[in-house]
Amino acid sequence: MEFLISGVTINPIFLAGIGFLVGILGGFFGVGGGFIAGPLMFLTGVPMNFVVGTDLAHMTGKSIVAARRHRVLGHVDIKLGLIMVIGTIIGVEAGAQLFESLKQTGRVDQFVGWIYVAIMLVIGSFMFIESLRATQIMRTQRISANEAVGFKGLSRRIYGIRIPPMISFPVSGIPSISLWTVLLVGFISGALAGFLGVGGGFVRMPLLVYVIGVPTHIAIGTDLFEIIFSAGYGTLTHSLKGNVDIMMALVMLLGAAIGAQIGALSTRYFTGPRIRLLFSFLPFIGAILVAYKLLSGG
Amino acid sequence: MGQDKNQINPKQIPKRLVFNLIIEFIIYGGLVTLYFLVILRYLNEPIKNLFDNNLTFYAIVSLILIVLQGVVLERLTFYILDWVGLKRFE
C-alpha cells in the first residue's frame, strides 16, 4: 500500500505486525514501545521525522486500548495519572527546549545518545537487582507480591516530605504524599522524554514504583493512561510540523489494539517482582540499540 | 496492600483462554480486513489533500481519527466474544 503523506510504499500487514509486537510490550510493561517500533519503521524506509511523529500517533490509540483494559482490571489510578500529566507535559517542553539549545553547541546527537545509554543501563541494572531481591523477600518472608519491593527506603523518605498540599491516592494505597513530589516525578519523566526523544515509559514506570510507591500493576495501567495524554499532545504538535502519516498510524493501530489487550491481560499471570524483572531487560535492549547506532555512525 | 485481587496463578491458565483468544483473532482479523479494504483505502487521498492544504485542520483530524479508532477497536474486541456467546477470559 502506498502511504501518500510520507511517500513510502509498505506492506500494511508488516505495519500491523509491528503494531502487534509493540502492542503486547506496551500492554504488558506500560511502555510506548518506540525503541522497537522506531528502528523497524526506519528499516522499512520511513523517513526519520515521520517515524517519530507516526509512532507517537499510534501510541495514543494503543494506550487507549491498553489503559481501558487495565482499568477493567482495576489497574489505573486516574487521579494520579491526571496530576502527573501536568508535570509530564511541562517536562516534555523543558526537555525539548534543552535539546534545542544544546543543538547549537554541535555533536548533540552523540552527547544525548550516550546520556540515554547511561540512564537506560542504570535503570535496567537497578530494576534487575531490585526485582531479584523482591522475589527472594517474597519467598523467605512469605509476604504478598504488592508488598515485596527490594528497595523500599526511597518511597518511605518521599512520604516524609510534607510540603503542602498533601494528597492521597486510595487506588494506589498511598495515604498521603506531597502534590509537588508527584508533579516533579511527572516533570522528570517528561523532561527525559523530551530531551532524549524516547523513553518516557522506561523512566516513568520505575519512578512510579520506587519513588511514589505505586504497586507494579497499577503503575503499568496508570503509565498507559498518562501516555494517552502525553502521546496525544505529541501527536498534535508533530502533526502541525507535518511529521505524522496518520494513515500509517491507523494501520499500525489495527495490530497494536489486539496486541495491547493480550499484553494487558497477561499481567494477571505475573507477580509485580516478576514483571519488574522482565521489564529490566527492556532498558538494556534500548541502550544496546542506541549504542550500536552511535558507534556505527548511523 | 494485599495481593492483587485480579492475580491468577500461571498454572491455572485454562485451555479455554487460548481457545477464546484464537476465536477473537479470527473474528477480529476478518473485521479489520473489511475495515481496511472499505475505509482506509478510500481515506488515503482525502487525508493527503488535507495534509497539503491545511496542516492545522489535518492535525486535529489526525488526533480525532486515532482516538476514535482506539476507542472503537477496544469496544469491538470487548464485544466480539460476548457476541459469539463465549465467556470472556478476564
Side-chain angles (χ1 to χ4, degrees), chain A residues 117-193:
Chain A
V117 171
I119 290 172
M120 290 302 118
L121 290 178
V122 168
I123 292 172
S125 307
F126 176 80
M127 288 190 80
F128 183 74
I129 296 165
E130 181 281 325
S131 52
L132 285 180
R133 248 170 92 166
T135 310
Q136 207 173 9
I137 290 169
M138 255 172 74
R139 277 201 206 115
T140 54
Q141 298 180 15
R142 296 192 175 278
I143 59 171
S144 79
N146 278 348
E147 287 167 22
V149 177
F151 299 96
K152 265 203 158 172
L154 188 57
S155 57
R156 279 199 196 118
R157 260 179 233 148
I158 292 290
Y159 293 157
I161 300 169
R162 313 295 295 175
I163 305 168
M166 300 303 286
I167 191 161
S168 69
F169 297 104
V171 177
S172 300
I174 299 166
S176 179
I177 189 169
S178 172
L179 174 72
W180 300 106
T181 308
V182 180
L183 286 173
L184 187 67
V185 166
F187 179 83
I188 292 169
S189 63
L192 284 171

Side-chain angles (χ1 to χ4, degrees), chain A residues 20 23-24 26-28 62 65-66 69 255-265:
Chain A
F20 179 72
I24 292 178
F28 189 79
K62 179 189 73 184
V65 178
R69 191 47 53 101
I258 195 94
Q261 301 211 36
I262 293 170
L265 288 168

Side-chain angles (χ1 to χ4, degrees), chain A residues 2 5 12 57 65 68-69 73 75 146-147 215 217 239-240 244 246-247 250 254 257 261 265 268-270, chain B residues 1-2 4 6-8 10 17 28 40 44 47 55 58-59 66 69-70 74-75 77-78 88-90:
Chain A
E2 191 187 1
I5 293 169
V65 178
R68 164 75 191 152
R69 191 47 53 101
L73 297 170
H75 294 164
N146 278 348
E147 287 167 22
H217 290 81
S239 295
L240 288 168
V244 175
I246 196 64
M247 295 309 296
L250 290 171
L254 294 178
Q261 301 211 36
L265 288 168
R268 295 180 69 202
Y269 301 97
F270 292 85
Chain B
M1 280 185 284
D4 188 334
N6 290 306
Q7 196 77 52
I8 291 173
L17 186 154
Y28 181 80
L40 287 187
N44 212 356
I47 289 284
L55 211 51
Y58 168 78
I66 205 79
Q69 187 173 306
E74 197 280 325
R75 290 284 89 192
T77 50
F78 193 83
R88 290 203 65 82
F89 50 80
E90 69 252 39

Side-chain angles (χ1 to χ4, degrees), chain A:
Chain A
M1 177 179 173
E2 191 187 1
F3 292 93
L4 300 172
I5 293 169
S6 54
V8 286
T9 304
I10 309 174
N11 186 341
I13 297 167
F14 181 73
L15 271 182
I18 295 175
F20 179 72
L21 180 69
V22 292
I24 292 178
L25 287 175
F28 189 79
F29 293 114
V31 294
F35 71 106
I36 296 276
L40 285 174
M41 286 168 77
F42 189 63
L43 279 175
T44 56
V46 181
M48 202 57 202
N49 59 320
F50 279 107
V51 167
V52 177
T54 306
D55 191 29
L56 273 170
H58 118 273
M59 229 180 259
T60 309
K62 179 189 73 184
S63 302
I64 290 172
V65 178
R68 164 75 191 152
R69 191 47 53 101
H70 274 286
R71 175 135 169 77
V72 171
L73 297 170
H75 294 164
V76 179
D77 190 331
I78 290 180
K79 187 178 167 189
L80 175 62
L82 286 174
I83 291 171
M84 278 190 75
V85 165
I86 301 166
T88 303
I89 288 176
I90 299 168
V92 168
E93 285 299 325
Q97 289 296 324
L98 181 65
F99 181 84
E100 286 301 316
S101 54
L102 270 175
K103 235 181 181 177
Q104 292 158 6
T105 62
R107 294 186 68 82
V108 67
D109 287 345
Q110 285 281 330
F111 180 70
V112 172
W114 287 115
I115 287 180
Y116 177 88
V117 171
I119 290 172
M120 290 302 118
L121 290 178
V122 168
I123 292 172
S125 307
F126 176 80
M127 288 190 80
F128 183 74
I129 296 165
E130 181 281 325
S131 52
L132 285 180
R133 248 170 92 166
T135 310
Q136 207 173 9
I137 290 169
M138 255 172 74
R139 277 201 206 115
T140 54
Q141 298 180 15
R142 296 192 175 278
I143 59 171
S144 79
N146 278 348
E147 287 167 22
V149 177
F151 299 96
K152 265 203 158 172
L154 188 57
S155 57
R156 279 199 196 118
R157 260 179 233 148
I158 292 290
Y159 293 157
I161 300 169
R162 313 295 295 175
I163 305 168
M166 300 303 286
I167 191 161
S168 69
F169 297 104
V171 177
S172 300
I174 299 166
S176 179
I177 189 169
S178 172
L179 174 72
W180 300 106
T181 308
V182 180
L183 286 173
L184 187 67
V185 166
F187 179 83
I188 292 169
S189 63
L192 284 171
F195 183 64
L196 302 172
V198 287
F202 277 145
V203 180
R204 196 160 39 239
M205 201 284 249
L207 284 175
L208 279 168
V209 174
Y210 301 117
V211 178
I212 301 187
V214 178
T216 307
H217 290 81
I218 298 179
I220 293 168
T222 307
D223 193 9
L224 285 164
F225 175 71
E226 215 214 312
I227 291 174
I228 297 172
F229 298 96
S230 49
Y233 176 74
T235 303
L236 206 59
T237 52
H238 274 281
S239 295
L240 288 168
K241 290 172 189 156
N243 291 338
V244 175
D245 187 331
I246 196 64
M247 295 309 296
M248 208 179 268
L250 290 171
V251 172
M252 282 175 80
L253 183 56
L254 294 178
I258 195 94
Q261 301 211 36
I262 293 170
L265 288 168
S266 303
T267 58
R268 295 180 69 202
Y269 301 97
F270 292 85
T271 61
R274 191 54 62 87
I275 292 173
R276 296 201 296 277
L277 180 64
L278 293 170
F279 184 102
S280 71
F281 294 103
L282 295 186
F284 288 124
I285 297 168
I288 290 166
L289 288 172
V290 174
Y292 174 76
K293 196 177 152 195
L294 291 169
L295 292 171
S296 63

